[in-house]
Structure formats: C-alpha cells, structure tokens
Amino acid sequence: METFTLDHYTLIQLVTLGIFILSFLIQSGYHTFTIRKFLKTKPLKVNPEQHPVSVIICAQNQGKQLAENLPFFLEQDYPNYEVIVVNDCSTDDTDSVIRELQDRYPHLKRTHILPDQKFNHNKKLALSIGIKAAKNEILLFSDPYCRPGSKNWLAQMQGNFNSDRKVVLGYSNIPYSKGMSNRFIRYDQFTNSIKRFCLAMSGKYYSGDGCNLGYCQKNFFENKGFAGHTHIEAGYDHLMVYQLSKANNVYISTSPSSKMENHHTCPLQNWVSQNRHYYQSRRFYPPFLRFLLDLEPVSRMLFYLSFVFLLTPGPAMLIACTLMGVRSILFFSSLKIASSHLKEEKLFLSSYMYDIISLFIKLFLFSTNRLASKNKRWK
C-alpha cells in the first residue's frame, strides 16, 4: 500500500484533506451531541394540576380547514379550556363555520378583524387580539390546518408548565403519505426540530414551531408583545421564543401525545413559506447564535464536497472513505434515537439522500431571501 507522505500531494489536495477532516470533526461532534442529548432526555413528571388554558388559532379564508380540524381541538380530554379563533379579514365561509361549531361546542370563542384598505397588517395583529381576548394565563397556539395527534395533547402541553417553566415547545410534522416531496418535507421538519430541541436542551433557545407552541399571557405583555418586529410577517414563533427565553425557562415536549399533525393542503408551499420566515427572523439573532445555526449545514456541505474531491486512488481516499463511514454510523444513530423519541417513522432509508439534497434547496432559499431583502432596501 502506498505510504501517505506530503510529497505525493499538491497544496490544493492537502488543503482539501484538511477541510475534510475539520468538517468531519464538526459533523461527528454534532451527531454525538444529538445522541447524548436525546439519550439523556427523560420525560419530566407532568404537573397534575389542570390549570385553565386558552388555545388560540388565527384563520384567514380557511373555513374548510377549520371545519375539518377544529373539532380535534374542541374534543380534547381536558376539563377547563377555551378555543379562540381569530377571523382575520376572511371573505370565505370562515365566520359561518365558526358560528356553526359554536352551537356544538360552547367553549369555542371567536373574534375578528374587519378589512381595512388603508391599514395593512400581518398575523401578529391577529395573534395579539387573540391573546388579549384570552381569559386564561396559559396560552397554546396552533393553525387551522393542524390537528392534535391525540386527545391528550392539551393535557400534555399544559402539564409541562409550572412556576419555573413558562414556555413549552412542542413537535409537529406532516403525516406520512407516498411521494418524494412528502418524505423530504417530513425529513427536513424532523431534522430542524432535532437542532431546535438539542440547542434548547443546552440553553440556546432560538425558535419555536407556531403549529405547536405555548407560553404565558403575562410574559407576552411583559415582553411588550411583538413590538420589536411588528413590521415583518415572520417572528411570531421564532423571535417570540428567543425573546421570552431570556427571562423564562423553556421546556421541550417530546412526548408522542403532545405531537401536532400538519394537514396543510399545499405542504410544499407551506414548507417554503416557513423557511422564508426563518431566514427573515434570523437576522435579529446575535452573531454567535447565527454562527451556531450555520455551523452544521456549512460543515456538512464542505464535508460532502471535499469527499468527492478526495475520491482519487491513494491514501487520502482511504482516509476519506473511513471517515465517511464513521460519520454515516453517527448520522444514522442520531436519527434513529431521535425518531424513537419523536415517533417518526419511514425516514431512515431515504435520509442520506435528503441530507444532501436539503443543502442545495436551503442554499437557494437563503440566497433568494437575501436578494429579496436587498431589493426592498433599495426601493
């Protein structure tokens, strides 16, 4: 076998090998970190006290989704709660659907925003109105196209609140169906949740999922609501969690009974919108947090690109293939352990392909969002 000596390689090859080894170390550290965090995760004892809860859902021309999904919120196995639907300038049958459901469910409340051609607003106004209308301190948030995965969703999410924990982050994803886009979106939502949860377990809270999120009314008003970022659509979940976490402890609910199912009629369009909101929000994060968020995807891209470059016969190829094998074992192990906690199925075999594809799709979304932001500045 050929001996590995520096004389056999050009400067470019040595630099590439150095980049490959460095990115391997970062990737290995990330997946080892994930494995450790999820192995140590044990469900905390749920608070047996059943405090009253307000569930807030904002709807805009989503009457059909409300008719299909709202009963899942209204039929929770919980004694004392209300569901508030904010009708945000809808022109379809949203209001009639809510009224019809109110006849069957007395704990369903409604409020609305009237259209105003002179005043443009985003979802944050609707959420603020819903929060002000809530009569209970504990608030849970979701969307018209979502439905709880079990009748114990509300009890599980509420049970995670106590005198110390004022913010609770839940898990959500689209249900399984056939098709490549379904598997890709489920994989991306799943891996994003892993990153969010692992950083949160380490005290780095930066994001929540608006489909399955809870915090306290008092803390919302103490934070002055969405005052710092009312001018952008994004941030009602990401930035709110980041801001509230500065003064409150956050709990991650990985219990299967607290999972939320996303039944959006156009899941791909919704996924793109969620990613654009994230890229709009991240500029409000401090530089070090943005660095932590970018470290894994950037090192992953460098890892794959440098690996391809090193696939030429010689000792470097042997090193590259060995480290690729080690990284693959850690990658699949972290996914398997996390999926067993979050009860995600049928992602394992296709995960490696999506691990590569997602890099280029996210890079495209990030680039287009940056270009759009620059164009707005110059207008």
Side-chain angles (χ1 to χ4, degrees):
M1 180 180 293
E2 184 182 358
T3 305
F4 180 79
T5 61
L6 299 180
D7 297 337
H8 289 85
Y9 296 91
T10 65
L11 178 61
I12 294 177
Q13 289 173 322
L14 289 173
V15 170
T16 304
L17 182 61
I19 292 173
F20 178 76
I21 294 174
L22 178 62
S23 57
F24 164 78
L25 293 174
I26 296 171
Q27 285 289 297
S28 299
Y30 173 78
H31 291 295
T32 303
F33 175 74
T34 300
I35 292 170
R36 289 183 60 195
K37 287 298 179 183
F38 273 92
L39 284 177
K40 289 183 178 180
T41 299
K42 295 180 180 179
L44 294 178
K45 187 177 181 180
V46 174
N47 189 350
E49 297 182 38
Q50 295 182 316
H51 297 289
V53 179
S54 295
V55 180
I56 299 174
I57 298 172
C58 300
Q60 187 176 68
N61 295 325
Q62 293 170 300
K64 182 179 179 181
Q65 290 92 329
L66 287 174
E68 293 174 350
N69 299 314
L70 205 50
F72 289 88
F73 290 94
L74 296 164
E75 296 174 2
Q76 288 289 297
D77 187 12
Y78 198 78
N80 187 6
Y81 75 104
E82 63 178 358
V83 177
I84 301 173
V85 178
V86 182
N87 183 359
D88 188 3
C89 303
S90 298
T91 56
D92 66 348
D93 62 344
T94 292
D95 195 61
S96 60
V97 168
I98 300 172
R99 289 176 182 275
E100 183 179 340
L101 288 170
Q102 279 184 307
D103 295 335
R104 294 160 48 194
Y105 303 100
H107 55 298
L108 173 61
K109 314 296 181 184
R110 69 182 181 91
T111 185
H112 63 276
I113 302 174
L114 296 175
D116 187 344
Q117 296 181 352
K118 297 181 180 180
F119 176 67
N120 294 323
H121 68 276
N122 54 42
K123 185 176 179 179
K124 292 173 184 176
L125 175 63
L127 283 170
S128 298
I129 289 175
I131 292 170
K132 289 179 181 178
K135 65 179 183 180
N136 301 315
E137 174 65 12
I138 295 178
L139 309 175
L140 297 179
F141 300 87
S142 194
D143 286 306
Y145 48 80
C146 295
R147 64 179 65 163
S150 77
K151 288 192 174 184
N152 294 318
W153 166 76
L154 199 155
Q156 182 68 44
M157 290 291 287
Q158 182 278 152
N160 293 316
F161 284 89
N162 61 25
S163 57
D164 295 322
R165 299 190 297 268
K166 301 296 185 181
V167 182
V168 175
L169 308 183
Y171 175 66
S172 74
N173 209 337
I174 63 175
Y176 168 77
S177 66
K178 294 182 179 179
M180 182 175 177
S181 63
N182 173 270
R183 289 193 295 272
F184 171 74
I185 294 172
R186 286 176 58 238
Y187 170 81
D188 188 68
Q189 298 273 69
F190 172 62
T191 51
N192 283 341
S193 296
I194 291 175
K195 179 185 290 187
R196 181 187 306 128
F197 289 173
C198 285
L199 284 175
M201 291 173 196
S202 300
K204 300 291 189 299
Y205 310 105
Y206 75 95
S207 175
D209 187 338
C211 293
N212 197 7
L213 170 66
Y215 50 79
C216 294
Q217 188 182 58
K218 178 182 177 181
N219 299 114
F220 174 81
F221 289 120
E222 287 178 347
N223 185 65
K224 298 181 180 179
F226 303 109
H229 44 87
T230 52
H231 58 290
I232 62 170
E233 174 73 22
Y236 59 85
D237 46 9
H238 300 305
L239 294 177
M240 182 53 59
V241 168
Y242 171 67
Q243 292 173 348
L244 291 178
S245 68
K246 295 177 181 178
N248 302 280
N249 289 331
V250 180
Y251 180 70
I252 310 301
S253 181
T254 59
S255 170
S257 59
S258 65
K259 180 180 178 180
M260 185 67 65
E261 297 178 358
N262 185 329
H263 290 263
H264 200 283
T265 53
C266 301
L268 185 59
Q269 178 183 343
N270 184 53
W271 176 82
V272 172
S273 176
Q274 289 177 344
N275 277 272
R276 293 197 185 280
H277 282 181
Y278 163 71
Y279 290 124
Q280 288 175 15
S281 300
R282 56 172 280 136
R283 73 175 187 265
F284 292 89
Y285 297 148
F288 181 69
L289 182 54
R290 293 201 300 269
F291 169 76
L292 286 179
L293 295 174
D294 292 338
L295 188 60
E296 191 280 324
V298 171
S299 66
R300 186 174 10 134
M301 179 169 284
L302 292 174
F303 180 78
Y304 284 129
L305 291 176
S306 56
F307 174 75
V308 172
F309 188 84
L310 292 172
L311 288 180
T312 54
M317 186 177 74
L318 179 61
I319 295 173
C321 292
T322 301
L323 296 185
M324 174 63 79
V326 173
R327 190 263 180 188
S328 298
I329 293 172
L330 292 172
F331 169 73
F332 285 120
S333 298
S334 65
L335 287 187
K336 186 66 176 177
I337 292 170
S339 62
S340 66
H341 277 77
L342 299 174
K343 301 302 178 185
E344 274 299 347
E345 301 176 350
K346 299 183 179 179
L347 284 176
F348 191 75
L349 294 178
S350 56
S351 58
Y352 220 103
M353 177 178 64
Y354 298 129
D355 189 53
I356 300 172
I357 293 175
S358 64
L359 286 170
F360 298 97
I361 296 177
K362 292 293 186 70
L363 181 62
F364 172 77
L365 291 174
F366 175 75
S367 302
T368 54
N369 186 74
R370 287 292 299 272
L371 289 173
S373 298
K374 288 182 179 180
N375 289 336
K376 287 181 181 179
R377 291 176 196 168
W378 288 102
K379 284 183 179 179

